[in-house]
Amino acid sequence: MDFSTRFEPKEAEPRLYEAWEKAGLFTANADSTREPFTMVIPPPNVTGSLHMGHALNSTLQDILARVKRMEGYEVLWLPGTDHAGIATQAMVEKNLKKTENKTRWDLGREEFLKRVWGWKEQYGNTILYQLRRLGCSCDWSRTRFTMDEGYSRAVRHVFVSLFKKGFIYRGLAIVNWCPKCQTALSDLEAPVPKDPPPGHLWHIKYPVKGDPGRFLTVATTRPETMLGDTAVAVHPDDPRTKALIGKTVMLPLMSREIPIIGDPILVDPKFGSGVVKVTPAHDANDFDCGKRHKLPAIVVMDEKAVMNDAAGPYKGLGRYDARKKIVADLEALGLIEKIEDHATPVGQCYRCATPIEPYLSEQWFVSMKDLAAPAVVAVKRGDVKFHPDRWSKVYLDWMENIRDWCISRQIWWGHRIPVWYCADGHATAAAETPSSCGKCGALELRQDDDVLDTWFSSALWPFATLGWPDETPDLEKFYPTQVLVTARDIINLWVARMIVSGLEFRGERPFADVIIHASIMDDKGMRQSKSLGTGIDPLELIDLYGADALRFALAWLATGTQDIRFGKNLSKQRTEMSRNFVTKLWNASRYAAPKIEGVPTKAPTDGATEEDRWILSRLSTTVDRVTDAIDRTEFGDAAQALYGFVWDDFCDWYIELSKRRADEPAAKQTLACVLDTTLRIMQPFTPFVTEEIWQKLGRKQPLMTVSWPSPPAPRDEALEGRMALVFEAVRCVRDIRTRNNIPPKTALTVMISAMDESTTTLLRAGAPIVRDQANVQELSIGVALPKPKFSATAATNAFTVYVPLEGMIDTKAEVERTRKELEIARGQAAQAEKQLSNEEFRKRKPEMAAEIQAKLDALRAKTAELEAHLKDVEAK
């Protein structure tokens, strides 16, 4: 049996993965009679490469997929990529400028799109190959792309259906506009920074016409938009200003007379001066006000945020240059009442981080209120469940206050809006190019230039990937899907829209459960960023430690949705810890392999000792814990249960205990049963090393295709408790040995003073284990035994261990060593206390303060232990 001394991930991983894929082990069968289990991968952008968020998300999905295969389901884990309209176009345009000094306009639409498709074919599947490195068991034969021909047909079908039902319309509205990308964005694509940049609030005086010396003062963070003011508004019940309603003010700098209107919706009389400037073309609330009062909407800047003809003398200035000039001119006229510092919560383009501009534009919209209503009911009724449940509130808050969705984008890469216009402007929506106008029959038609928001197409992902709108075997077998695993930041962008689409076009929920996992942060608790140098490349960690180590480290940390610190330092520490765990499993298997060759893998029925029954009970407990944790989607709980069993129970205790009876049939069969079951429950977390071990054991059937294990033996909690007590006694003796630098080969005299007779009885029954595992020559166990002179002590809640040190140590050297160690511990504790005494530090960096507090607690415990030991030694 060729079982090398080390597991070599770089050699084993590509070999094993190629064999799995070649054997079709990931491919789902639509004709299978087995119950389906379907997941769709959140499609990464074709521009992307694997980052830690992908690694976490995909690891958790792969664990579920592998467990469900072993449980007997027909598993389809469907992969694919999203065309990422704005991001992909920006990348290709940037490259075009760099290599040819050209813009897309130089090439024209058709030629530019050829370039984008060429780029996609060359680079667009990079991330899918990287997911293979992680061990992801996706059904690659069903890989989809959101601009596949069949998928595009589904998108057009949805658009036309919603258009004909009156849910899609075209109209003028204020949209989030990116002056750099020159396209509209949805509210969700223009997030406000967590820490808004500093800015100002300018208080500007508008002269009241016919009332010399009287002004109405408005406050604004964007003085440049005042050029488009068409009214000032006051509250109709405000005694300070209600008499002015119906009069006018002169718009400063523009010499335009605008009305004073009363509006109880726009104006809060308790806020500021109770006067609001109304700029319908550059503010969403003002736009609504303008419609109520039939005000004109004057657009004062172009698509690049440069002031236009309507801006008068400020034409040609960028919006921020215009702001400076306008403020200076107002100050020169004495019309600035005051300027206040004010953080400016302006949204930024999610792709280029350019501050967005609220901009009046004609766009395509989806009327969402009626479409969203069934999706609200689905979550409230529990048809779709969020895990953890608190994320359902985020979903419902957004859905119950949903606004119409701007779905048109002024770019070229994407699903072109399937609407054609004749010369008279009639609009014809069609899934295929129409031959004539649907209203007047004109033959000359022009297609709308805009493309659809990327999220419009990805909202169809759970069913469009399965062949819809055709009724395919895949759609019949695998829809609806069961589970969606994703991050919290796309609950509204994607999850909500998929639920809406599934209910509207399939009449049923697209998935039953939505698992929201944590976000990966750097070592300081901030989002990882490639540009800031804090991003971690998962492939580098795989190269260093292997895919299994990275997977297990991520699963270990996946506890609820608490953000995961996994920066440059912590990622290496935690992945190295997991690599050591993989090595531990490998070494245990290597030890066991020659002993269990040809041995049955069922639990022994004859000759089993108490230690055999104990490890089988612990294994059964672990199988139950891991199965339950996965069912609850608590991956961290499952990983930690596995770690504790494999490292402590199996490797550190059972293997060592069984060595003295390694040739006994019951010991061999127990060893075979434990290793077989352990490999099965470890496979979804660490598929490569477990498969390699499985094959080394001579198994022909691939590990991922065997059944998920049931508990191999009855659980015996009383036995587990007894053995835990004995093992704790062994640990206490070992700790004393380590603390006092007593060589492992030196046999000890040990006294165990139990709290009561029942504990004494249990410990006496385990005395052979204590003697064997702690190298104890003389062992006394009783109730309330007196402490011997000059002895070291280790105490638990149930007993106290004494080890006489006479002749065991060099007293003088031990006193000196202990004092030095104590001095260092006290100094470190004092430094930690000083840091924690700074209240400002604790408020500003709570995560770091928590880490220091934990360190301080450990140092205090160590100090107390050293002080007790020093007292013992000095007494001698």
Side-chain angles (χ1 to χ4, degrees):
M1 185 180 295
D2 178 24
F3 219 119
S4 58
T5 57
R6 293 179 59 188
F7 174 61
E8 299 290 351
K10 287 185 178 180
E11 185 280 327
E13 289 172 1
R15 169 172 49 82
L16 292 171
Y17 196 93
E18 182 181 1
W20 292 334
E21 194 170 1
K22 187 176 181 180
L25 300 185
F26 309 150
T27 304
N29 180 7
D31 296 326
S32 169
T33 58
R34 297 194 295 182
E35 185 178 346
F37 179 85
T38 314
M39 293 185 298
V40 290
I41 197 170
N45 292 346
V46 289
T47 58
S49 58
L50 196 67
H51 59 59
M52 290 310 307
H54 294 134
L56 172 64
N57 178 269
S58 300
T59 294
L60 301 185
Q61 289 179 86
D62 195 42
I63 290 171
L64 283 175
R66 289 173 179 273
V67 169
K68 292 301 179 181
R69 283 193 194 94
M70 296 176 77
E71 289 180 341
Y73 290 86
E74 188 64 35
V75 173
L76 170 58
W77 182 20
L78 196 150
T81 51
D82 189 279
H83 64 279
I86 295 175
T88 305
Q89 176 161 315
M91 183 172 287
V92 176
E93 284 190 279
K94 183 178 180 181
N95 185 64
L96 184 65
K97 182 68 175 177
K98 181 179 178 180
T99 58
E100 301 180 38
N101 196 29
K102 290 182 179 179
T103 68
R104 60 179 162 129
W105 303 101
D106 295 324
L107 268 61
R109 186 171 195 141
E110 184 176 349
E111 179 59 29
F112 177 76
L113 290 178
K114 286 182 182 178
R115 299 290 185 96
V116 183
W117 275 108
W119 182 93
K120 186 268 175 186
E121 292 305 314
Q122 186 173 359
Y123 302 108
N125 291 323
T126 297
I127 193 168
L128 300 183
Y129 289 105
Q130 292 173 334
L131 289 173
R132 289 171 166 86
R133 290 281 313 275
L134 191 63
C136 293
S137 58
C138 299
D139 185 346
W140 302 110
S141 70
R142 286 178 166 89
T143 300
R144 297 303 301 269
F145 176 52
T146 52
M147 286 182 64
D148 286 343
E149 183 177 346
Y151 201 102
S152 295
R153 188 163 64 90
V155 173
R156 294 193 299 271
H157 184 97
V158 166
F159 183 97
V160 173
S161 174
L162 293 176
F163 180 87
K164 289 181 177 179
K165 291 179 180 180
F167 287 116
I168 287 183
Y169 66 92
R170 185 169 175 82
L172 271 174
I174 296 291
V175 298
N176 292 312
W177 184 266
C178 176
K180 184 175 181 180
C181 298
Q182 292 186 52
T183 182
L185 303 170
S186 73
D187 293 343
L188 298 171
E189 294 167 316
V192 175
K194 184 177 180 182
D195 298 313
H200 297 92
L201 189 65
W202 287 271
H203 295 258
I204 304 170
K205 297 189 294 185
Y206 285 42
V208 177
K209 187 175 182 183
D211 194 348
R214 186 169 186 182
F215 301 90
L216 288 181
T217 300
V218 302
T220 181
T221 59
R222 298 192 299 150
E224 64 278 11
T225 65
M226 69 176 292
L227 306 179
D229 287 357
T230 55
V232 292
V234 299
H235 196 282
D237 297 328
D238 189 342
R240 297 172 296 175
T241 52
K242 66 179 181 179
L244 294 175
I245 295 173
K247 296 185 177 182
T248 61
V249 294
M250 294 303 298
L251 178 63
L253 306 178
M254 299 300 286
S255 300
R256 187 166 71 239
E257 191 175 338
I258 58 177
I260 302 170
I261 62 175
D263 194 294
I265 298 175
L266 183 65
V267 182
D268 179 359
K270 297 178 181 178
F271 182 78
S273 65
V275 182
V276 177
K277 61 190 286 294
V278 184
T279 320
H282 293 277
D283 182 273
N285 292 325
D286 292 6
F287 179 74
D288 292 340
C289 176
K291 288 198 294 184
R292 289 193 295 272
H293 296 273
K294 298 181 180 180
L295 299 172
I298 302 174
V299 179
V300 296
M301 61 181 77
D302 64 17
E303 292 88 348
K304 296 181 180 180
V306 174
M307 309 311 288
N308 61 16
D309 290 340
Y314 304 97
K315 177 184 176 181
L317 294 176
R319 54 180 167 169
Y320 298 124
D321 288 336
R323 177 181 297 179
K324 293 177 184 178
K325 183 73 167 61
I326 288 167
V327 169
D329 290 348
L330 289 170
E331 286 181 320
L333 295 170
L335 295 178
I336 297 287
E337 185 175 284
K338 61 179 178 177
I339 302 174
E340 297 177 306
D341 291 335
H342 182 80
T344 309
V346 176
Q348 295 181 347
C349 174
Y350 77 116
R351 282 300 170 196
C352 67
T354 299
I356 61 99
E357 186 65 37
Y359 193 66
L360 183 62
S361 178
E362 191 172 26
Q363 301 287 342
W364 286 96
F365 294 87
V366 179
S367 178
M368 292 300 298
K369 187 175 181 180
D370 290 341
L371 286 171
V376 169
V377 172
V379 171
K380 286 186 172 181
R381 193 168 53 201
D383 297 341
V384 178
K385 295 179 180 178
F386 283 81
H387 307 272
D389 179 65
R390 67 178 180 273
W391 294 110
S392 62
K393 185 178 186 303
V394 172
Y395 168 91
L396 291 170
D397 283 349
W398 188 68
M399 292 289 280
E400 290 176 337
N401 298 282
I402 199 164
R403 299 173 65 179
D404 287 359
W405 175 14
C406 177
I407 57 170
S408 47
R409 300 291 181 265
Q410 288 66 53
I411 56 176
W412 290 349
W413 173 243
H415 295 280
R416 195 166 176 180
I417 288 177
V419 173
W420 285 260
Y421 305 98
C422 67
D424 292 332
H426 303 143
T428 301
E432 303 297 335
T433 304
S435 57
S436 61
C437 175
K439 186 171 184 179
C440 68
L443 301 179
E444 294 291 329
L445 301 176
R446 174 186 60 83
Q447 188 174 359
D448 196 297
D449 287 328
D450 290 350
V451 302
L452 288 163
D453 176 14
T454 297
W455 296 104
F456 186 92
S457 51
S458 61
L460 319 180
W461 190 247
F463 53 89
T465 52
L466 297 173
W468 185 89
D470 295 332
E471 293 297 324
T472 65
D474 273 5
L475 191 63
E476 182 181 355
K477 176 72 174 179
F478 296 112
Y479 189 87
T481 70
Q482 278 66 52
V483 173
L484 178 74
V485 182
T486 189
R488 63 176 181 259
D489 52 352
I490 54 174
I491 290 175
N492 297 336
L493 277 166
W494 189 47
V495 179
R497 289 165 177 169
M498 284 191 290
I499 296 173
V500 168
S501 299
L503 293 171
E504 173 67 17
F505 292 100
R506 293 299 300 167
E508 56 186 327
R509 65 191 182 187
F511 30 72
D513 296 283
V514 181
I515 300 170
I516 304 296
H517 60 69
S519 295
I520 301 284
M521 302 297 182
D522 64 18
D523 291 331
K524 295 181 179 179
M526 305 297 289
R527 279 192 176 272
Q528 292 193 8
S529 167
K530 288 184 180 180
S531 61
L532 296 177
T534 59
I536 305 299
D537 185 349
L539 298 179
E540 290 183 6
L541 292 174
I542 291 174
D543 288 339
L544 281 171
Y545 304 109
D548 288 328
L550 177 59
R551 289 168 62 105
F552 196 81
L554 291 171
W556 173 283
L557 295 167
T559 52
T561 53
Q562 182 176 354
D563 287 339
I564 297 172
R565 289 194 179 194
F566 206 71
K568 291 186 178 295
N569 296 323
L570 292 175
S571 63
K572 290 186 177 181
Q573 293 172 15
R574 287 167 172 161
T575 312
E576 186 173 356
M577 179 197 78
S578 296
R579 190 273 313 275
N580 294 342
F581 176 60
V582 169
T583 301
K584 189 88 166 178
L585 177 64
W586 177 265
N587 289 338
S589 304
R590 184 168 171 265
Y591 162 80
K595 295 173 176 55
I596 63 174
E597 190 171 0
V599 175
T601 57
K602 291 185 177 181
T605 55
D606 299 318
T609 64
E610 189 169 75
E611 64 201 42
D612 295 335
R613 294 195 303 274
W614 166 77
I615 192 63
L616 290 169
S617 178
R618 290 295 302 142
L619 178 58
S620 294
T621 298
T622 303
V623 170
D624 283 340
R625 279 189 61 191
V626 171
T627 304
D628 176 66
I630 291 172
D631 288 344
R632 292 183 290 108
T633 68
E634 293 291 350
F635 301 96
D637 289 355
Q640 290 162 31
L642 288 168
Y643 186 94
F645 174 78
V646 172
W647 192 288
D648 295 331
D649 297 337
F650 184 42
C651 296
D652 283 359
W653 289 117
Y654 183 75
I655 286 179
E656 292 304 315
L657 290 170
S658 67
K659 282 180 178 178
R660 66 182 187 278
R661 44 187 288 271
D663 294 330
E664 293 181 12
K668 288 183 176 183
Q669 194 167 339
T670 300
L671 192 60
C673 175
V674 173
L675 184 57
D676 181 273
T677 305
T678 298
L679 292 174
R680 291 173 190 243
I681 57 175
M682 282 292 299
Q683 185 269 146
F685 295 81
T686 55
F688 292 108
V689 69
T690 50
E691 180 69 43
E692 187 78 341
I693 293 169
W694 189 258
Q695 292 184 14
K696 296 290 186 187
L697 295 176
R699 312 292 167 80
K700 302 303 181 184
Q701 182 181 359
L703 178 55
M704 75 170 68
T705 65
V706 303
S707 62
W708 182 256
S710 299
R715 291 176 60 176
D716 188 335
E717 294 183 6
L719 174 59
E720 290 187 36
R722 291 198 302 274
M723 294 295 280
L725 193 71
V726 174
F727 294 154
E728 188 61 30
V730 173
R731 289 191 189 95
C732 286
V733 177
R734 289 175 175 175
D735 287 346
I736 290 173
R737 186 187 291 277
T738 301
R739 215 165 58 219
N740 292 279
N741 297 316
I742 301 172
K745 293 183 178 180
T746 302
L748 300 176
T749 297
V750 173
M751 299 174 63
I752 303 179
S753 176
M755 304 294 288
D756 50 46
E757 285 294 345
S758 61
T759 303
T760 300
T761 301
L762 295 175
L763 289 171
R764 283 175 178 168
I769 294 176
V770 177
R771 289 192 179 94
D772 180 60
Q773 295 297 307
N775 192 10
V776 175
Q777 186 173 18
E778 295 182 25
L779 178 62
S780 302
I781 303 173
V783 176
L785 297 180
K787 179 183 178 182
K789 292 183 178 180
F790 188 43
S791 61
T793 304
T796 72
N797 291 332
F799 57 82
T800 301
V801 175
Y802 303 122
V803 175
L805 299 178
E806 185 73 42
M808 291 287 176
I809 62 173
D810 181 335
T811 306
K812 185 177 180 180
E814 184 63 15
V815 167
E816 185 177 347
R817 184 196 67 80
T818 305
R819 283 176 176 170
K820 286 182 179 178
E821 193 173 349
L822 183 58
E823 183 181 356
I824 292 171
R826 284 171 173 166
Q828 291 174 336
Q831 185 178 4
E833 287 172 345
K834 184 178 180 180
Q835 285 180 284
L836 293 173
S837 67
N838 187 329
E839 287 297 325
E840 181 63 27
F841 167 75
R842 295 175 74 102
K843 291 178 181 178
R844 189 164 40 88
K845 297 186 176 180
E847 298 90 353
M848 190 177 294
E851 287 184 5
I852 295 172
Q853 182 64 58
K855 179 181 177 182
L856 177 59
D857 293 342
L859 285 167
R860 284 171 173 165
K862 182 179 181 180
T863 300
E865 188 178 281
L866 289 169
E867 287 171 343
H869 177 59
L870 182 62
K871 185 177 180 181
D872 285 339
V873 179
E874 286 180 329
K876 176 60 179 174

